[in-house]
Amino acid sequence: MTQTTEAPIADRADRAGSTPAPRAGATSTFAKALNAALADAMEADPAVLMFGEDVGTLGGVFRITDGLTARFGEERCFDTPLAEAGIMGMAVGMAMNGMKPVVEMQFDAFAYPAFEQVVSHVAKMPNRTRGKVRLPIVIRIPYAGGIGGVEHHCDSSEAYYAHTPGLTVLAPATVRDAYFMLREAIASPDPVVFLEPKKLYWSKEEVDLAELRRTFDEGEAPRRIGRAVVARQGTDATLISYGPSVPTALGAAAAAAEEGRSIEVIDLRSIVPFDDETVCESVRRTGRAVVVAEAPGFASVASEIVARVQERCFHSLAAPVLRVTGFDIPYPSPKLEHFYLPSVDRILDAVDDLQWED
Amino acid sequence: MSTATNGGRGSMLGGASDGGAAPAADRALLPSAEPVQLVDPDGQHNHDDRYPLPDGEQLLGAFGRLVAGRRINDQANALVRQGRMAVYPSSHGQEACQVAAAVVLGNEDWLFPTYRDTVAVITRGVDPLQVLTLLRGDWHGGYDPHEHRVATQATPLATQLLHAVGVAHAAKLRGEPTVVLAMCGDGATSEGDFHEALNFAAVFHVPVVFFIQNNEFAISVPLKNQTVAPSLAHKAIGYGMPGERVDGNDLAALLAVLGAAVDRARDGGGPSLIEAHTYRMQAHTNADDATRYRSADDVERWVPRDPILRMRTYLRALNLLTDEGERAFADEADAIAAAIRKGLNTEVEVNPAELFEYVYTEKTSQLREQAEQLREELARDAGAGAAPDAPADGAGDEGDQP
Ligand SMILES: Cc1ncc(C[n+]2csc(CCOP(=O)(O)OP(=O)(O)O)c2C)c(N)n1
């Protein structure tokens, strides 16, 4: 997957002092990049704390917090009693008193006990206090399906959060973005719901984490909150996607290319704030669009995107904006999930339906 | 609906104002100083004035279920290793709790289990293959909860405890003699729902037995990080109900203590909280690496306290268990394991049309559209005509709920 927004960074290698020089061909997984982002953020700012269920000794069920307790001590990365509302509520108080809590909800559907705290307090406190209380909290949520998980381990819960004013909602799809977006989320003065697509945890990219760190610390990483990115350029239609669906959309674009169609793919990265500009610029150019997302389609983030594009790009559209989403059903059991998930074929079908007859 | 249906015993507050609760009455809500133990790890009987030893026949029958329970755990673990099942949270070492929870209940009662309580569910009579549907990944549940009065196995922690209170409350309002036994782990006692359930049960004075299997771990987190209370059973007194603790590897003590709590609930005595002290001998699930947070020595220390070992010693010493009896139990366990093996080694056809069947009683027009879309897609993929048919509306609903 290519990324076109990064400035070249190799020329800074020799300024790195004691930090090891970037190794050519270094790779990292998505999970490792998140782990590094947490460690780097904790090192950079002593107010950053990490807590949740099994995040201490175990290093999290996905090992995203691996080694943090050993490195920063139990006061900075710790296990709580098993209570999500408690974790969330305590984070609010900590943030009110100078800390920058990063909390882990073990799985998407296990964040629901914390929902009241998120919706009634995390999201609203800054507004209630006319900005006197800011809540720099990051809520990390291993999220969405495609891993053959049993029930309650595969929910796409972004719409609940995106529908709640006051929350920033992010969903990275690449290893680089995982690193930079988590650093940016932690640095943000506003509360961030940080959705980590579980099926991408083991995906790999050629990146040097030490380089990413330097780039971020030196303020050279382009802003990602509120900024979508063109993940693949094309001229005939635009696929708009985020998080776990981005690789599927890219797969569809590659398949379409073989059939002679040039498809652009947009990786939103940031669901809230939403980057109308990048999305609309692309759709106005291509004149056709399909939104791809794993969550059920009814009253979803995908619905919102379609509405916005229709409102802003109506005169450039050659066809209605279509959606390829999950069905409006509870997330299926492992043996049935492949019937549910947006697939390359389903996306290609939708692209075929974009009124090409002229 | 009146909420003042406390059967004369008075709610927690009412009770306190009944001439001021005597300190002795308060203390009666506290658990024993040590977990109740009727048969020690060496298979010797400990006398306890409060809890008579269950009779030989009852012990022997339950021992047979214990042997089967261990076999079910072993078989399920093996099937996970062979890739026939997605995941299995084993109750190895906790089988006495599993068996006791099921056998103390009558047909009119309800059991509310968690993901780890597969053996309890099977012991209650649910077909093992139906139980394992969830973990095999065919569907989110495989059995009809009404058939054996066993709720779906709950994964979101402690949520089922409130459902249990609701079932008990409804039974009380309907004048039914139902008792509800609701299970959870030590970690789950930290969730808000646990506390709400205990409080509701006490305020409404309903027949629920809350049964905590304290196996010392919630995935990687040891009990000391969950609570600094003297014991989990001590939490009961704060809600105005009695708490008791019991050796969770002592089948006899579990039968006696849980049995007494069920009797008490059935007689209008209200809810109680039982904490069983046991140990999770294996990793949280096969996806977990327990070596990251506990040593092999910790686990080793629990080996001699195995629930099967001590009950076997006890029953053999009294000649209640003979070679022949042991063989019969082993054969029974093997037969259950063989049936599980055979069932799970047989590929089941999943029907994608079912995805849309049960979301609403009647499919919405949107779901009808989506079901049709999937059917067409599959028909196209398979070549015309070969796609699975959508079940007729209502089909697959056989065994309509009472
Ligand atoms: C609300 C909720 N949060 C988190 C989880 C993830 N989770 C599953 S089991 C488990 C540990 C539970 O420990 P305990 O209650 O002691 O039961 P045990 O697994 O030891 O039987 C956790 C954290 C969950 N299932 N539900």
Side-chain angles (χ1 to χ4, degrees), chain A residues 1 37 57 66 78 87 100 109 117 119 129 142 155 158 215 219 261 279 296 311-312 315-316 325 328 356:
Chain A
M1 178 174 326
T57 311
D66 194 17
F78 56 92
I87 292 167
K100 295 181 182 166
Q117 290 291 343
V119 171
T129 59
D155 277 20
E158 65 267 31
T215 311
R261 246 178 215 151
V279 170
E311 284 161 0
R312 286 165 176 73
H315 295 290
S316 312
T325 66
D328 297 322
W356 301 90

Side-chain angles (χ1 to χ4, degrees), chain B residues 60-292:
Chain B
L60 193 64
F63 178 76
R65 312 274 51 84
L66 199 58
V67 171
R70 174 65 50 86
R71 193 78 178 81
I72 291 164
N73 278 327
D74 289 346
Q75 182 61 70
N77 283 331
L79 286 161
V80 169
R81 283 193 300 272
Q82 294 155 19
R84 305 306 301 190
M85 213 156 54
V87 66
Y88 183 70
S90 170
S91 63
H92 187 111
Q94 301 175 218
E95 290 95 343
C97 295
Q98 298 285 305
V99 168
V103 305
V104 294
L105 297 178
N107 288 340
E108 69 276 32
D109 298 331
W110 271 87
L111 180 71
F112 276 75
T114 75
Y115 51 89
R116 196 174 304 287
D117 302 321
T118 299
V119 168
V121 176
I122 294 173
T123 306
R124 178 119 172 107
V126 184
D127 175 352
L129 292 179
Q130 289 184 9
V131 183
L132 294 175
T133 300
L134 170 70
L135 299 169
R136 181 185 197 175
D138 304 340
W139 198 258
H140 294 316
Y143 55 90
D144 171 3
H146 286 280
E147 194 181 339
H148 294 276
R149 297 201 160 194
V150 178
T152 51
Q153 289 179 271
T155 295
L157 298 168
T159 52
Q160 75 281 8
L161 305 179
L162 281 157
H163 310 161
V165 172
V167 165
H169 199 175
K172 184 174 162 180
L173 295 176
R174 291 155 59 106
E176 293 163 357
T178 302
V179 172
V180 182
L181 190 147
M183 306 174 78
C184 75
D186 44 290
T189 66
S190 295
E191 292 279 6
D193 282 11
F194 171 83
H195 299 273
E196 295 178 23
L198 261 64
N199 193 41
F200 271 51
V203 166
F204 293 111
H205 198 71
V206 295
V208 180
V209 177
F210 296 100
F211 180 40
I212 306 169
Q213 290 169 85
N214 170 6
N215 64 12
E216 297 200 4
F217 282 93
I219 308 186
S220 71
V221 179
L223 185 66
K224 68 173 166 51
N225 292 9
Q226 297 294 347
T227 184
V228 293
S231 81
L232 293 170
H234 277 79
K235 294 186 185 249
I237 192 171
Y239 298 101
M241 72 173 75
E244 183 58 289
R245 42 183 168 168
V246 54
D247 181 335
N249 288 11
D250 176 359
L251 182 63
L254 284 157
L255 291 172
V257 170
L258 287 174
V262 167
D263 289 347
R264 180 175 178 282
R266 203 181 313 282
D267 294 344
S272 56
L273 174 67
I274 314 292
E275 174 190 11
H277 292 253
T278 180
Y279 197 78
R280 200 192 73 210
M281 297 298 285
Q282 298 177 338
H284 173 66
T285 68
N286 48 295
D288 175 38
D289 175 8
T291 62
R292 290 177 75 99

